[in-house]
Amino acid sequence: MKSDEANFALPAFARYTQNVLLEEIWQRPQLLPRDRSIVTVAALTARHQPAEMARQFNLALDNGVTPTELAEVITHLAFYSGWGNATLAASIAKEVFETRGIAPTALADVKGNLLPVDEAFEEVRVAAVEQMIGPAFDALAGYTTSVLFHDLWLRPALTPRDRSLVTVAALVAVGQAAQIPFHVNKAMDNGLTQIQAAEIITHLAFYAGWPSAMSAADIAKGIFEKRSE
Amino acid sequence: MKSDEANFALPAFARYTQNVLLEEIWQRPQLLPRDRSIVTVAALTARHQPAEMARQFNLALDNGVTPTELAEVITHLAFYSGWGNATLAASIAKEVFETRGIAPTALADVKGNLLPVDEAFEEVRVAAVEQMIGPAFDALAGYTTSVLFHDLWLRPALTPRDRSLVTVAALVAVGQAAQIPFHVNKAMDNGLTQIQAAEIITHLAFYAGWPSAMSAADIAKGIFEKRSE
Amino acid sequence: MKSDEANFALPAFARYTQNVLLEEIWQRPQLLPRDRSIVTVAALTARHQPAEMARQFNLALDNGVTPTELAEVITHLAFYSGWGNATLAASIAKEVFETRGIAPTALADVKGNLLPVDEAFEEVRVAAVEQMIGPAFDALAGYTTSVLFHDLWLRPALTPRDRSLVTVAALVAVGQAAQIPFHVNKAMDNGLTQIQAAEIITHLAFYAGWPSAMSAADIAKGIFEKRSE
């Protein structure tokens, strides 16, 4: 992988990009390039950074993310980082698909055959939402159940583990600390190892900045300790 | 209302946009379309999302927000979400006004006749600022009184209730939890009902993402309970 | 300094820009125009606001920030606010440099002669990182030491005090409260006075919005009190 930034007027920045980010971080074996791509795409979308999107969307497709999966990552982020972010990412994804000659039929909406609901998880989740936002927010609680957890999360176009990658990356990337514990736990229930979770946060130090990563690591450390008790 | 996104290469996203966002959320009677437009414009401006602004500015004008009110929403947000956000929104608003043939004279700066100061509220507010940031920040405290609360909030170009809609939406949209209690209380003092406050946060789940909305709902629930004691 | 915004279709916004921001805040003697420029550039970059960057980059150069320093500010922000933000700022800086006829050779990467490590500070910092994120994040802790504090912060292209201005401004501008105490303390160790620290936050009320500034002032007040004990 080569850095386009090398021709920028900032030689130190170009050097860090090449030596630290591209030749070192992206090559670390703790996380596959495909996973790094999903995390990076989620961070860019959640932070509304169009300039890097086409490059990273192409890299994601090169790294084994299918076009349908990329479309689903963006759809998932509509709910987890807002419609405006997903709309922007969707317009750039469309251009990338067209440039690569990916036909719209290859992206047909996946219908039916939702994954089965995990009733035990749902019971805990519904109780937690009820306890948190109570009867004053019955519409929000209702959409959380029906649209988010009984539809979006169960769509087979993306594995639950990959949805967790997307969600955790989006939360860390914009510093939404309050929602990190729930989703790091869910990610690990969905198969993410502790080493991978730590590596996602380390990767995001570069794409969301050190302060976001340090704050997230502080929270994740507490979760790791609780789960190993 | 129809979704331009329908022609995007992401059929699931287009379907959610059409079925859930446009045909359901925007039609819920708990909040008027005019109020939803003010909240959406504030969220887009506070989150610096130009791609959707022209569409939503036009929709706001269609929904009964006057050109002067839209200009004042953006001016208000200069203070509550930063000059760069307002500058971007202003440049797009200018294009929208020109396209619709709205003459600059229709937007003449409203001068004089500021609304009366609420002395009881001011006494509590000044004491809270003094207690929070103390003598080390006398310039910031001074501007908060003179420019924000004795000028901006009293400009008659927007009702205090609508300024509250704008302010609360901006705070929720970027996750500024610390300032939410003060402004949700002020919004309700300015006439916003509990049902409307809850609906604003539910609406923002879609425009700022679920995590922002859930965190805000958690805070708002506590305010609702305190006010009903 | 004159406001281009004056010709926007928002006369009240144009008036606040001219009378309050340009003719008052930027002229306050508590902070030099050069320092205000560094803080403003950092805030715009950390908040990913390209529309104002060219204007503010030019103003920074007019106010005495050298081209090499501006390049280094952006490089520093790659680590403190994410690669995507720095990449965008770098592309705009490149255009500004070209327009002003600044030759690439004037921006040659500063090599060798790193500033000496402050061993006493490093001992405290390493212990704090270790205690905060522990052994689960040894890679992140390692990069924090080797790349951030034993390389980036010691590069002579920017004084430690100016790096602190950049870092504090970036943290305040995006509301990363958890990291503010460490960096406000470091900034004051690096020579920033309490009056200057307060003025940075007051300046940022305009460029990052009142809520960010009020939350940061609340935190900084506590730091000021602790340091004067």
Side-chain angles (χ1 to χ4, degrees):
Chain A
M1 195 171 4
K2 213 171 141 279
S3 163
D4 268 17
E5 286 92 344
N7 54 12
F8 281 170
L10 291 80
F13 180 50
R15 189 167 46 80
Y16 281 124
T17 303
Q18 191 62 38
N19 298 356
V20 183
L21 188 57
L22 301 185
E23 291 178 13
E24 192 163 329
I25 298 297
W26 275 86
Q27 316 302 329
R28 285 172 55 85
Q30 288 81 353
L31 207 59
L32 293 177
R34 181 187 175 279
D35 289 347
R36 292 190 188 273
S37 271
I38 290 175
V39 166
T40 308
V41 164
L44 290 177
T45 301
R47 304 184 87 216
H48 206 76
Q49 305 192 325
E52 290 299 285
M53 277 184 193
R55 175 209 298 265
Q56 289 292 343
F57 288 3
N58 273 304
L59 180 58
L61 296 168
D62 293 343
N63 281 340
V65 178
T66 69
T68 299
E69 285 172 337
L70 181 56
E72 193 72 16
V73 165
I74 295 169
T75 302
H76 191 90
L77 286 168
F79 291 92
Y80 280 95
S81 83
W83 234 254
N85 286 338
T87 300
L88 179 68
S91 71
I92 293 172
K94 184 172 181 256
E95 287 171 25
V96 168
F97 292 154
E98 285 170 358
T99 304
R100 294 173 79 108
I102 295 165
T105 49
L107 295 156
D109 193 2
V110 181
K111 278 186 185 143
N113 293 329
L114 293 178
L115 305 178
V117 174
D118 177 341
E119 298 289 358
F121 170 81
E122 269 299 278
E123 203 173 309
V124 174
R125 188 195 62 70
V126 169
V129 167
E130 181 59 31
Q131 205 259 322
M132 186 180 178
I133 63 176
F137 289 88
D138 57 346
L140 182 57
Y143 286 118
T144 304
T145 295
S146 64
V147 183
L148 247 71
F149 286 98
H150 284 191
D151 193 296
L152 182 72
W153 273 88
L154 302 180
R155 289 168 52 80
L158 209 59
T159 66
R161 176 195 176 274
D162 287 350
R163 289 190 188 276
S164 277
L165 283 188
V166 173
T167 311
V168 168
L171 293 172
V172 172
V174 300
Q176 280 168 322
Q179 313 292 324
I180 290 177
F182 174 85
H183 278 292
V184 167
N185 268 310
K186 184 168 167 63
M188 295 177 81
D189 291 345
N190 283 340
L192 199 74
T193 67
Q194 179 179 317
I195 285 172
Q196 291 168 335
E199 190 69 18
I200 288 172
I201 292 171
T202 303
H203 186 91
L204 287 170
F206 292 87
Y207 286 98
W210 237 257
S212 296
M214 293 301 281
S215 296
D218 184 27
I219 295 167
K221 185 198 166 203
I223 298 165
F224 295 163
E225 286 167 358
K226 259 205 180 142
R227 289 180 72 97
S228 69
E229 271 169 12
Chain B
M1 200 172 1
K2 214 172 139 278
S3 163
D4 267 17
E5 286 91 344
N7 55 10
F8 281 171
L10 291 79
F13 180 50
R15 189 167 46 79
Y16 281 124
T17 302
Q18 192 62 38
N19 298 355
V20 182
L21 189 58
L22 301 184
E23 291 177 12
E24 193 163 331
I25 298 298
W26 275 86
Q27 317 302 328
R28 286 172 54 85
Q30 288 82 353
L31 207 60
L32 294 176
R34 181 186 176 280
D35 290 346
R36 292 190 187 274
S37 271
I38 290 175
V39 166
T40 308
V41 164
L44 290 177
T45 301
R47 305 185 87 215
H48 206 77
Q49 305 193 325
E52 289 300 285
M53 277 184 194
R55 174 208 299 265
Q56 289 292 344
F57 288 2
N58 273 304
L59 180 59
L61 295 168
D62 293 345
N63 281 339
V65 177
T66 69
T68 299
E69 285 172 338
L70 181 56
E72 193 72 16
V73 165
I74 295 169
T75 302
H76 191 90
L77 287 168
F79 291 92
Y80 280 95
S81 85
W83 234 253
N85 286 338
T87 300
L88 180 67
S91 70
I92 293 171
K94 185 171 181 256
E95 287 171 25
V96 168
F97 292 153
E98 284 169 359
T99 305
R100 293 173 81 108
I102 295 166
T105 49
L107 295 155
D109 192 1
V110 180
K111 277 183 186 145
N113 294 328
L114 293 178
L115 304 179
V117 173
D118 178 340
E119 298 290 357
F121 170 81
E122 269 300 278
E123 203 174 309
V124 175
R125 189 196 60 71
V126 169
V129 167
E130 181 59 30
Q131 205 260 320
M132 185 181 180
I133 63 177
F137 290 89
D138 57 346
L140 182 57
Y143 287 117
T144 304
T145 295
S146 63
V147 183
L148 248 70
F149 285 99
H150 284 190
D151 193 297
L152 182 72
W153 274 88
L154 302 181
R155 289 169 52 80
L158 209 59
T159 66
R161 176 195 176 274
D162 288 350
R163 289 190 189 275
S164 277
L165 283 187
V166 173
T167 311
V168 168
L171 293 172
V172 173
V174 300
Q176 280 167 324
Q179 313 293 325
I180 290 177
F182 174 84
H183 278 293
V184 167
N185 268 309
K186 185 168 167 61
M188 295 177 82
D189 292 345
N190 283 339
L192 199 75
T193 68
Q194 180 179 318
I195 286 172
Q196 290 169 335
E199 190 70 18
I200 288 172
I201 292 172
T202 304
H203 186 90
L204 287 170
F206 292 86
Y207 285 98
W210 235 258
S212 296
M214 292 302 279
S215 296
D218 185 25
I219 295 167
K221 185 198 167 204
I223 298 165
F224 296 162
E225 286 167 357
K226 260 208 180 140
R227 288 181 71 97
S228 69
E229 271 169 11
Chain C
M1 197 170 6
K2 216 171 139 278
S3 162
D4 268 20
E5 286 92 343
N7 55 11
F8 282 170
L10 292 79
F13 181 49
R15 189 167 47 79
Y16 281 124
T17 303
Q18 192 61 38
N19 297 356
V20 182
L21 189 58
L22 301 185
E23 291 177 12
E24 193 165 329
I25 298 298
W26 276 85
Q27 316 303 330
R28 284 171 56 83
Q30 288 82 353
L31 208 60
L32 293 177
R34 180 186 176 280
D35 289 347
R36 292 190 187 273
S37 270
I38 290 176
V39 167
T40 308
V41 164
L44 290 177
T45 301
R47 306 184 87 216
H48 207 76
Q49 304 193 324
E52 289 300 284
M53 278 184 192
R55 174 208 299 264
Q56 290 292 343
F57 288 4
N58 273 305
L59 180 59
L61 296 169
D62 293 343
N63 282 339
V65 177
T66 69
T68 300
E69 286 172 338
L70 181 57
E72 193 72 17
V73 165
I74 295 169
T75 302
H76 191 90
L77 287 168
F79 292 92
Y80 280 95
S81 84
W83 234 254
N85 286 338
T87 300
L88 178 68
S91 70
I92 293 171
K94 185 173 181 255
E95 287 171 27
V96 168
F97 292 154
E98 285 169 359
T99 303
R100 293 174 79 107
I102 296 165
T105 49
L107 295 155
D109 192 1
V110 181
K111 275 181 187 147
N113 295 329
L114 293 179
L115 305 178
V117 173
D118 178 341
E119 297 290 358
F121 170 81
E122 269 300 278
E123 203 173 307
V124 175
R125 188 196 60 72
V126 169
V129 167
E130 181 60 29
Q131 205 260 322
M132 185 180 178
I133 64 176
F137 289 88
D138 57 347
L140 182 57
Y143 287 117
T144 303
T145 295
S146 64
V147 183
L148 247 70
F149 285 99
H150 285 191
D151 193 296
L152 181 72
W153 273 88
L154 303 180
R155 289 169 52 80
L158 209 59
T159 66
R161 176 195 176 274
D162 287 351
R163 289 191 189 277
S164 277
L165 283 188
V166 173
T167 311
V168 168
L171 293 172
V172 173
V174 300
Q176 279 167 325
Q179 313 294 324
I180 289 178
F182 175 84
H183 278 293
V184 168
N185 268 310
K186 185 169 168 59
M188 295 177 82
D189 293 345
N190 283 340
L192 199 75
T193 67
Q194 180 179 316
I195 286 172
Q196 291 169 336
E199 190 69 18
I200 288 172
I201 292 172
T202 304
H203 187 91
L204 288 170
F206 292 87
Y207 285 97
W210 235 257
S212 296
M214 293 301 281
S215 296
D218 185 26
I219 295 166
K221 186 199 166 202
I223 298 165
F224 296 163
E225 286 167 356
K226 259 204 178 143
R227 290 179 72 96
S228 68
E229 271 170 12

